């Protein structure tokens, strides 16, 4: 069996012989049945699905989740704190539910691909034309197609009559492709295989016949489906939290062991030390971190949704902040997937779009030809027809000309339709007692068939010099990425039997260049992305000249262009070292889009991929974050992590800023929680080793309460906080290493200062104020709580000046402070947390020590420059 690309290079007779079929009679029914058993049904294969139980179980496969489950068990069964155990369990269940719901939707991408499979096909079997369930098609079947049909399998064209096919969902090429039976060179890209039809594409006009060569998973569409086999990439946030979880596990166990040993050295009861050590281990783990992460990401998701960026996977909200490369599709992303008339050059050399609106005879002739030699019609949904012809009608409408009126004045009498071999079309109309033929087509064809050209004085002989000049103009337009058409006319004294016989001795009117309409917001968005350190790369299935023209128009200059034939012969490993040299990839196959993504990722980049078609889906799936256009296909949307509801490239820049803000907040949350927890471990260790003779430094229940105060409201407020600086001035991915050596040293220093404030309160309470140990422990307990609440403001500011906190932060600090006073000054709080009411002097010392800790932390931040941001 030939490879997928081998079929287009073979003649129809060779293909029929290779597949043992007959172009006119098709397969025999018995033979077709045997082949169906061999090749299987014509549908995209369905991979093994996860069961609900397996998917749910996977949500608990995380180090931090394991630590939280252990903390919940210890809190309930060993410490008797069932409220804490229940809260931790609720956090774990909430995170599992969100993850399960999000991942369940990912499988719908393949379902959308299956919806593209045609439900029925018109085939020839045993010499009889009949309708057949498309799933029963086999290699060798002969299929008939006409306008409006969806191609049910991949096949070699054996007959084509003005056959034009829309392949944009597969290849990304914006202009429908004219098909023919002529073989193409072997190894060319899918978009250049004009002798082939591909499953999932649509016949725009004409009719044809094909020999089925590939079915089901072997089709180009099936190969795209196979690219979905890998799971979603791990986000930077997930990687970092996994590292945090592993290190916390080690720290928690080490802290528990040290505290247990220190207590035994001080001759504390084994049972008491076991409970304290376990409580400290639980306190060392920030139980609220997963909940804060979830709430912060969900808040970011809602803010993005208000800006037309719909995020489908919560971790992807933050991933955007790490993106430093955007690989973007051209059609429908940078451009509006519409053509427009970009330039008009009359045959006498005058140029400019404004000519179309003039009363000049040549210009009027061109406008008339554009309206009459055109198959566009108006329906309830607007203009219907080939995008090239729609662009011509739009240009006429823009200057107030009605193509309907022009057609009413000169009805079409006959036509010679367009096909891939002729590369032209002609329409015949009455002109008084005579007739006029308008011709439109490829410049090289129409110019070659012209014997004169139009100017103010009428037809002028088109000599070889003038012919070469016209051809040079056409080549200049094409080199600028324009789709170029030539228009001509011929006046006839009698009505011809076949208009095609009169397509000679034409009078050339002029040339029209059409280009894709650039989305107006794209150039400025690409510039903003560049200023934020984000590189934009165009990846398209369109021709190199068109791709380069669009790249220049949107500001993607300064890099090289690689075409698909070179890319297909290069591995991602070989491409990776030189990937940064390229800003445009043209004529790219779907599988090679994935290769580009992998090359950038191997080079250390965090990659976003944008797109809207089926051909973009594998790369959307493989990128660190896939960004689909809201108007795109279901496959693209379901393969992505984010969907732009307004199809606005500029929305990506806004989303990147939101992603950076969220990561900065979450980094602050992690630093806050870890430094606060470190203060508890450092104080308890100091209390047992140095001041153990005074009594237990803190009770297990008090440790859990301190953790609850810091893990709850202040941490959530930090996670939802507004930015304190312009995050778009940061480098992409800056500060990603949350637990770098420098950051760990800083948070340990901050934790030591907070613990020092508690030690200061203990020393003053014990030796200066002469309070009993219960009152001293209450002072220490309150000092740690107040110090950690003030510490939230220090972490928020970093090395910069303190700024006015947001409303949520203010309310969280007020609420936590109020709760702490309640547990100190109410009988219920005193009974549960073993506290006593503090007099004015003791509470003043507590508040003073807490304020001092904030001052010293601020000094430390200013000296070392804050964390790695």
């Amino acid at each position: 069996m030939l490879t997928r690309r081998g079929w287009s290079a073979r003649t129809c007779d060779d293909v029929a012989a290779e597949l043992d079929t007959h172009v006119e009679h098709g397969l025999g029914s018995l033979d077709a049945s045997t082949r169906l058993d061999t090749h299987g049904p014509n549908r995209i294969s369905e991979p093994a699905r996860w069961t609900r139980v397996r998917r749910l179980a996977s949500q608990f496969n995380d180090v931090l989740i394991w630590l939280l489950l252990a903390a919940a068990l210890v809190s309930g069964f060993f410490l008797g704190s069932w409220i804490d155990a229940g809260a931790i369990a609720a956090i774990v269940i909430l995170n599992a539910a969100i993850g399960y719901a999000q991942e369940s939707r990912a499988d719908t991408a393949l379902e959308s691909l299956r919806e593209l499979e045609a439900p029925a096909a018109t085939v020839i079997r045993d010499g009889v034309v009949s309708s057949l369930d498309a799933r029963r098609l086999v290699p060798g079947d002969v299929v008939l197609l006409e306008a409006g049909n969806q191609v049910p399998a991949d096949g070699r064209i054996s007959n084509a009559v003005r056959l034009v096919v829309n392949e944009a969902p597969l290849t990304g090429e914006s202009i429908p492709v004219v098909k023919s039976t002529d073989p193409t060179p072997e190894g060319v890209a899918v978009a250049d295989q004009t002798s082939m039809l591909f499953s999932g594409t649509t016949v725009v006009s004409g009719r044809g016949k094909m020999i089925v060569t590939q079915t089901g998973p072997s089709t180009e569409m099936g190969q795209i489906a196979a690219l979905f086999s890998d799971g979603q990439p791990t986000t930077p946030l997930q990687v970092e939290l996994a590292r945090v979880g592993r290190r916390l596990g080690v720290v928690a166990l080490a802290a528990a062991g040290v505290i247990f040993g220190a207590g035994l050295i001080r001759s504390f009861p084994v049972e008491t030390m076991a409970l304290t050590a376990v409580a400290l281990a639980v306190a060392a783990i920030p139980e609220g971190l997963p909940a804060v992460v979830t709430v912060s990401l969900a808040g970011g998701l809602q803010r993005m949704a208000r800006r037309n960026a719909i995020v489908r996977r919560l971790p992807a909200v933050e991933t955007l902040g790490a993106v430093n490369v955007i690989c973007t599709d051209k059609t429908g992303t940078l451009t509006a997937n519409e053509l427009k008339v970009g330039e008009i050059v009359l045959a006498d050399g005058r140029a400019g779009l404004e000519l179309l609106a003039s009363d000049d005879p040549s210009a009027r002739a061109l406008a008339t030809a554009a309206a009459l030699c055109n198959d566009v019609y108006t329906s309830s949904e607007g203009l219907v027809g080939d995008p090239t012809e729609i662009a011509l009608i739009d240009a006429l409408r823009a200057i107030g000309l009605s193509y309907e009126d022009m057609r009413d004045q000169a009805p079409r009498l006959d036509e010679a339709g367009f096909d891939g071999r002729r590369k032209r079309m002609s329409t015949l109309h009455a002109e008084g007692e005579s007739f006029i033929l308008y011709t439109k087509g490829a410049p090289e064809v129409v110019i070659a068939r012209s014997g004169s050209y139009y100017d103010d004085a009428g037809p002028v002989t088109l000599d070889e010099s003038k012919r070469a000049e016209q051809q040079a103009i056409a080549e200049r337009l094409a080199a600028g990425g324009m789709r170029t058409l030539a228009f001509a006319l011929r006046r006839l004294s009698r009505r011809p039997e076949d208009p095609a016989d009169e397509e000679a001795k034409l009078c050339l009117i002029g040339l029209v260049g059409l280009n894709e309409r650039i989305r107006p917001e794209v150039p400025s968005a690409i510039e903003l992305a560049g200023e934020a350190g984000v590189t934009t790369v165009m990846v398209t299935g369109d021709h190199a000249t068109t791709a380069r023209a669009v790249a220049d128009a949107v500001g993607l200059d300064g890099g090289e262009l690689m075409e698909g034939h070179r890319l297909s012969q290069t591995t991602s490993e070989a491409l990776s070292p030189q990937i940064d040299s390229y800003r445009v990839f043209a004529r790219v196959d779907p599988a090679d889009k994935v290769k580009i993504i992998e090359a950038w990722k191997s080079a250390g980049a965090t990659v976003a991929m944008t797109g809207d078609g089926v051909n973009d889906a594998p790369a959307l799936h493989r990128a660190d974050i896939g960004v689909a256009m809201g108007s795109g296909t279901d496959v693209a949307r379901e393969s992505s992590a984010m969907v732009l509801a307004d199809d606005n490239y500029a929305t990506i820049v806004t989303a990147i800023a939101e992603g950076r803000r969220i990561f900065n907040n979450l980094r602050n949350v992690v630093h806050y929680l870890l430094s606060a927890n470190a203060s508890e471990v450092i104080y308890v260790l100091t209390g047992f080793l140095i001041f153990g003779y005074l009594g237990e430094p803190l009770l297990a229940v008090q440790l859990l309460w301190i953790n609850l105060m810091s893990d709850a409201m202040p941490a959530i407020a930090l996670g939802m906080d507004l930015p304190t600086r312009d995050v778009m001035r940061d480098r992409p991915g800056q500060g990603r290493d949350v637990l770098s050596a420098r950051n760990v040293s800083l948070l340990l220093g901050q934790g030591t200062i907070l613990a020092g404030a508690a030690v200061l309160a203990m020393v003053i309470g014990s030796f200066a104020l002469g309070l009993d140990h219960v009152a001293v422990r209450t002072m220490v307990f309150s000092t740690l709580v107040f110090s950690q609440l003030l510490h939230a403001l220090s972490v928020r500011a970093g090395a910069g000046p303190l700024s006015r906190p947001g409303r949520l932060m203010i309310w969280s600090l007020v609420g936590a402070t109020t709760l702490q006073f309640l547990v100190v000054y109410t009988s219920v709080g005193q009974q549960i947390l073993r506290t006593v009411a503090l007099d004015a002097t003791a509470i003043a010392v507590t508040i003073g020590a807490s304020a001092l800790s904030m001052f010293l932390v601020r000094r430390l931040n200013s000296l070392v420059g804050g964390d790695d941001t």
Side-chain angles (χ1 to χ4, degrees), residues 19 56 143 164 171 334 349 396 442 447 465 577 636 656 690 729 774 791 831 843 855:
L19 294 173
L56 182 61
V143 177
V164 181
T171 66
L334 301 180
L396 295 178
I447 293 172
S465 174
I656 288 175
I690 301 176
R729 295 183 180 275
V774 176
H791 185 51
Q831 183 177 1
I843 198 65
F855 172 77

Side-chain angles (χ1 to χ4, degrees), residues 543-545 561-568 584-588:
H543 292 280
T545 52
L561 182 148
M562 178 182 284
E563 293 194 61
H565 65 86
R566 282 181 57 202
L567 181 60
S568 64
V584 181
F585 292 87
R587 223 57 178 159
V588 176

Side-chain angles (χ1 to χ4, degrees), residues 725-768:
R725 67 180 192 282
D726 184 3
V727 294
M728 294 303 279
R729 295 183 180 275
D730 295 344
R731 298 187 309 276
Q734 184 175 335
R736 289 276 147 180
D737 189 357
V738 175
L739 294 185
S740 65
R742 184 175 182 277
N743 286 344
V744 169
S745 299
L746 179 61
L747 69 87
L748 286 176
Q750 294 170 345
T752 300
I753 291 174
L754 299 183
V759 171
L760 178 62
M762 180 187 65
V763 170
I764 293 175
S766 298
F767 302 107

Side-chain angles (χ1 to χ4, degrees), residues 161-164 205-207 369 372-375 389 412-429 436-442 445-446 449 486 488 492 495-504 506:
V161 180
R162 290 177 281 181
L163 184 61
V164 181
S205 62
R207 63 183 186 275
L372 301 185
C373 192
N374 193 313
D375 290 330
E389 296 188 327
R412 183 181 299 186
L413 303 178
D414 203 350
E415 67 180 279
F418 183 93
D419 66 37
R421 292 175 185 248
R422 287 166 34 80
K423 296 184 178 180
R424 63 188 182 276
M425 72 173 288
S426 296
T427 58
L428 183 68
H429 308 267
I436 187 168
L437 184 76
Y438 289 105
T439 300
K440 172 188 70 182
V445 174
V446 175
R449 289 180 167 270
L492 304 169
R495 179 171 178 169
E497 292 185 6
D498 186 353
D501 295 337
E502 306 299 330
E503 294 174 332
L506 300 171

Side-chain angles (χ1 to χ4, degrees), residues 354-400:
E354 68 280 357
L355 288 171
L356 204 59
S358 70
D359 292 330
D360 180 85
S362 296
R364 286 202 307 270
L366 181 60
T368 303
L372 301 185
C373 192
N374 193 313
D375 290 330
V376 165
Y377 64 91
T378 302
S379 72
S380 59
E381 298 180 355
L383 295 178
V384 178
D386 183 90
T388 302
E389 296 188 327
I390 290 176
L392 294 172
I393 298 302
D394 283 338
L396 295 178
R397 284 180 164 184
I399 60 173

Side-chain angles (χ1 to χ4, degrees), residues 166-219:
N166 177 18
E167 295 184 340
L170 178 66
T171 66
E173 186 167 357
S174 56
I175 300 172
V177 181
V178 178
K179 296 291 186 176
S180 73
T181 59
D182 298 335
T184 61
E186 187 166 359
V188 298
V190 170
D192 293 319
Q193 295 181 33
T194 54
S195 61
M196 295 288 294
L197 294 174
F198 299 105
S199 175
T201 60
T202 305
V203 178
V204 175
S205 62
R207 63 183 186 275
K209 182 192 296 184
M210 75 173 188
I211 304 170
V212 174
T213 56
Q214 306 286 350
T215 60
S218 297
T219 63

